Amino acid sequence: MPRLPTRSADIQPGAISGGRRAGVEDTNFVDMTPLGRTVQNVAEQQFQRTEEDESRKVLVQQAEIRAKYAKRLDEAATSGEDLGKIKEELDADISKVSENLQTRKGVETAQLHAANTGAVFDNQANNIAVTRATLEARVEGAKFLNSTGAIVGSNPGYLPQAEQDVDAFVATLSRVPPEKRAAIAADLKNNLNVAAAMRQAQLDPDGTIAAVKGGQYNLDPTQRLQIEREAEREKRAQEADRERVKLEARREEAEKVDVARGEMLDGIIKGKVRWADIRDNPAFAGPQGANAKKELFLMMEARNKEMASGEKRSNPVVERNLWMAIHAPEGDPRKIYSATPIFEAVQRGDINTATANQLNAMVANQKDENNRTIGSHMNGLMAVVGRSLSQDPRYIGQPGIVAEIQMDYQDRVTKRVAALRAEKKDPMEAFNPASKDFVGSREFIQGSIDRVKGNAATTLPRAGAVLEFGGKKWEFKGGDPAVQSNYKEVK
């Protein structure tokens, strides 16, 4: 502060005048008070401006710092940056604001706004920390749910212990607010209840439905409905599975029975099988085997009669119809899948045991895709031959001859197919019109007609024979079999 000038005056002693009172002007003194006040005012104004400048700078710097670290925290919320490190940098920047401040107001402003900046930072950082802790808790909760849920999914009875484990897990989440911890616990327990109920639905569908309806599990209405539906599906699935097992067992038994029956029948025809072989065959131990043993016993009796009195020729119409039924396409009501109709024909005396053995082999062959394909082609050609012969005036009223021609034809086709296979050729060439082995040619079909006509004397029906044609049965009275009046319908 500038110093005021000092002055001195030399006063000589003398008598006091009794005249007028001396004034300032008599002393030659200059009054400096106004100047001092002016200087003081200037100084105070300068100090006030300094305070304002410092306060303003503090406010600006603190605002910049708040904006800077608000952005840093926003970035840290997604990047995962350490919040403690950011706080250290913030404190360093705030400290720089207070450096070189000369006024108390500047310092106090810096302190006040530093506290405000710190409070804003701490609030935002705390929110991020809570969010991070909650997310971390969710991640850890998912791991907990995976492991504990696997136990519950295997053993639903572990559910009470699993819920206690949830409480213990949530208690470790000290950085997560209480309301969020409660939400995490409720979510984990709900998921474990769903897992336990789902598994229980597989183990005991009926019991699970009752338990869900009784409120045993911690589920919302949608989940309860879901579990009930799952239990119903599981119940139906288990019933279907049990039925499938039964059907599969029957199918396997039927296959064994069919194979053994074919072997036994072939042995009967060749005279190599005895009743004990049939009776004690393990393939016939099941329910289906009992019927097979009965059929084979009847076949043994029929074969014995044939051997005793001479083998009777099979009725060609019956034989043809059985053949056509065996090779009928899938879905055709005539198609047969078992040998039962064949054995019934033997019992009626319509076919002999040798023919039955051949037809039974055909039934078994239909289980093979290649044989089914060939049989389908043969069936089509047999139908064509049958229709052509039935419309030929020479064969009208002679269904037996027509059937015999058809059976001769199928026998020759079967041999042609076997020959192609033996020569390592494609058996389907027999049904290719462009092939030299085609069995649908006029010449090939005529071969069977000629063969049967050559044996006409031996194929004429005997008087009293019952033939079937036109969907009806006719008894041959004798005479010329080509004359329709020589037949009498059997009612």
Side-chain angles (χ1 to χ4, degrees), residues 66 72 152 157 240 261 398 411 449 467:
R66 280 197 291 270
R72 284 285 302 279
V152 172
R261 179 167 47 195
Q398 300 185 68
D411 182 63
I449 295 173
L467 306 177

Side-chain angles (χ1 to χ4, degrees), residues 186-237:
D187 187 54
L188 289 173
K189 289 182 179 181
N190 176 255
N191 278 280
L192 290 173
N193 273 261
V194 171
M198 278 290 190
R199 179 54 177 161
Q200 192 63 29
Q202 298 171 355
L203 299 175
D204 180 14
D206 290 328
T208 302
I209 292 173
V212 169
K213 289 182 177 179
Q216 179 175 327
Y217 294 99
N218 178 18
L219 306 169
D220 61 37
T222 300
Q223 291 169 337
R224 284 197 295 271
L225 181 60
Q226 178 186 4
I227 298 299
E228 289 177 13
R229 288 177 175 174
E230 179 63 23
E232 289 290 351
R233 282 195 295 269
E234 183 66 26
K235 183 178 178 180
R236 293 196 301 271

Side-chain angles (χ1 to χ4, degrees), residues 54-346:
E54 287 185 347
S55 297
R56 184 172 60 256
K57 289 180 182 179
V58 167
L59 290 172
V60 172
Q61 288 178 331
Q62 289 290 354
E64 290 174 346
I65 290 173
R66 280 197 291 270
K68 173 185 176 181
Y69 285 93
K71 182 179 179 182
R72 284 285 302 279
L73 288 175
D74 286 341
E75 294 171 350
T78 55
S79 68
E81 186 178 357
D82 184 7
L83 300 180
K85 179 182 177 183
I86 298 176
K87 181 64 183 301
E88 291 176 0
E89 295 177 13
L90 170 68
D91 292 340
D93 285 348
I94 290 177
S95 297
K96 292 177 183 178
V97 174
S98 300
E99 293 177 355
N100 301 320
L101 294 178
Q102 299 178 359
T103 67
R104 177 179 294 178
K105 184 176 181 181
V107 173
E108 290 175 348
T109 302
Q111 291 174 343
L112 174 63
H113 286 278
N116 291 339
T117 300
V120 171
F121 178 92
D122 289 343
N123 182 62
Q124 187 176 357
N126 183 61
N127 290 336
I128 293 174
V130 169
T131 300
R132 286 182 178 179
T134 303
L135 290 175
E136 182 180 354
R138 294 284 184 188
V139 172
E140 294 299 320
K143 295 179 181 178
F144 171 86
L145 182 61
N146 287 337
S147 58
T148 308
I151 300 174
V152 172
S154 175
N155 177 19
Y158 186 74
L159 179 60
Q161 180 60 48
E163 290 183 321
Q164 294 180 20
D165 293 343
V166 169
D167 293 333
F169 168 77
V170 172
T172 66
L173 307 177
S174 57
R175 293 180 298 163
V176 179
E179 67 277 7
K180 293 186 180 293
R181 289 202 301 268
I184 292 173
D187 187 54
L188 289 173
K189 289 182 179 181
N190 176 255
N191 278 280
L192 290 173
N193 273 261
V194 171
M198 278 290 190
R199 179 54 177 161
Q200 192 63 29
Q202 298 171 355
L203 299 175
D204 180 14
D206 290 328
T208 302
I209 292 173
V212 169
K213 289 182 177 179
Q216 179 175 327
Y217 294 99
N218 178 18
L219 306 169
D220 61 37
T222 300
Q223 291 169 337
R224 284 197 295 271
L225 181 60
Q226 178 186 4
I227 298 299
E228 289 177 13
R229 288 177 175 174
E230 179 63 23
E232 289 290 351
R233 282 195 295 269
E234 183 66 26
K235 183 178 178 180
R236 293 196 301 271
Q238 290 181 9
E239 291 173 352
D241 192 53
R242 287 191 292 269
E243 183 63 21
R244 183 195 61 79
V245 170
K246 291 179 182 178
L247 293 174
E248 182 65 18
R250 292 174 189 169
R251 185 192 64 78
E252 292 178 356
E253 181 190 2
E255 286 185 354
K256 292 179 181 179
V257 168
D258 287 344
V259 171
R261 179 167 47 195
E263 293 173 350
M264 294 294 102
L265 179 56
D266 189 62
I268 290 172
I269 302 302
K270 295 177 180 178
K272 296 181 178 180
V273 168
R274 300 293 179 267
W275 170 243
D277 299 325
I278 299 172
R279 181 193 63 204
D280 300 333
N281 193 313
F284 300 143
Q288 300 179 66
N291 188 59
K293 287 192 288 186
K294 177 183 177 181
E295 292 173 342
L296 289 170
F297 173 74
L298 295 174
M299 290 296 291
M300 290 185 75
E301 288 189 325
R303 186 59 178 171
N304 290 339
K305 291 178 182 178
E306 290 173 358
M307 294 177 66
S309 59
E311 186 176 283
K312 175 185 175 183
R313 294 192 62 190
S314 296
N315 184 322
V317 175
V318 175
E319 182 181 357
R320 187 270 317 274
N321 290 345
L322 286 170
W323 190 98
M324 296 290 284
I326 293 169
H327 296 90
E330 294 294 331
D332 191 316
R334 299 174 303 158
K335 188 170 182 64
I336 60 176
Y337 298 90
S338 73
T340 299
I342 299 172
F343 292 124
E344 290 174 349
V346 173

Side-chain angles (χ1 to χ4, degrees), residues 399-452:
I401 294 179
V402 171
E404 191 166 353
I405 292 173
Q406 285 180 289
M407 294 312 298
D408 181 85
Y409 173 75
Q410 73 84 20
D411 182 63
R412 292 173 59 230
V413 172
T414 300
K415 291 177 179 177
R416 174 66 61 85
V417 169
L420 289 171
R421 282 175 169 166
E423 295 170 6
K424 307 298 182 183
K425 295 181 180 179
D426 184 2
M428 294 303 294
E429 283 296 298
F431 308 101
N432 180 7
S435 173
K436 65 180 181 63
D437 295 308
F438 182 49
V439 296
S441 66
R442 186 178 187 86
E443 293 78 10
F444 191 90
I445 296 173
Q446 188 62 45
S448 290
I449 295 173
D450 294 341
R451 281 162 57 93
V452 173

